Amino acid sequence: QVRVVESGGGLVQPGGSLRLSCAASGGFFSRAAVSWYAQAPGKQRELVADISSSGNTHYADSVKGRFTISRDNAKNTVYLQMNSLKPEDTAVYSCRINDPRPPWNDYWGQGTQVTVSS
C-alpha cells in the first residue's frame, strides 16, 4: 500500500508564501511523475503543476512565475513553493503520484488547506 501525505498548508496573507510537501512511501518514487492539484470551494479540481521523473516541469498559466515545483528523490518528497499568494489561490491542494509500474495506478493524498486572506 502506497501512502501519500501532504503538509505545509495554512493561513497566509495576500503576497505571502507557503511551501507544500508531498511525501510518499514506495521504492518507485524516483521514477514517478507527480502532480499538484487545487480544488477551491464549489469548483472542480484543477492541475496546478507537475514534474516528471527527469525533472521536467509544467505549470498552469495562473501560477506561472509564482509557484515552483521541485523534487527530492532521496526523501521521496515533492515540494510546491508558493510565492506572491492571492486570495484566489485559496483551495485544498492535493498531490497525485503516477506509479510507473503496471497497472500504472494513481495515488492521492488527503490534501492540505491553503487559505489566503487578510
Side-chain angles (χ1 to χ4, degrees):
Q1 184 72 17
V2 175
R3 186 164 181 247
V4 181
V5 179
E6 300 99 333
S7 61
L11 173 64
V12 63
Q13 292 187 342
S17 298
L18 285 173
R19 188 177 79 157
L20 307 183
S21 298
C22 170
S25 60
F28 65 90
F29 185 84
S30 64
R31 294 180 287 120
V34 180
S35 307
W36 280 100
Y37 287 79
Q39 186 165 22
K43 295 187 177 181
Q44 289 189 333
R45 187 165 55 191
E46 296 181 339
L47 177 66
V48 174
D50 56 48
I51 186 166
S52 70
S53 58
S54 59
N56 293 322
T57 59
H58 166 265
Y59 297 93
D61 287 344
S62 60
V63 307
K64 281 181 181 176
R66 299 189 298 123
F67 292 9
T68 302
I69 188 170
S70 62
R71 64 191 302 157
D72 184 341
N73 291 331
K75 295 182 179 180
N76 276 19
T77 301
V78 165
Y79 302 99
L80 185 67
Q81 178 66 43
M82 311 166 69
N83 298 329
S84 303
L85 282 160
K86 306 175 180 180
E88 51 264 43
D89 294 320
T90 296
V92 175
Y93 286 75
S94 303
C95 68
R96 183 184 79 173
I97 298 175
N98 304 120
D99 193 330
R101 308 163 301 179
W104 303 282
N105 290 324
D106 286 341
Y107 307 109
W108 291 84
Q110 82 291 345
T112 185
Q113 175 71 47
V114 171
T115 303
V116 185
S117 175
S118 55

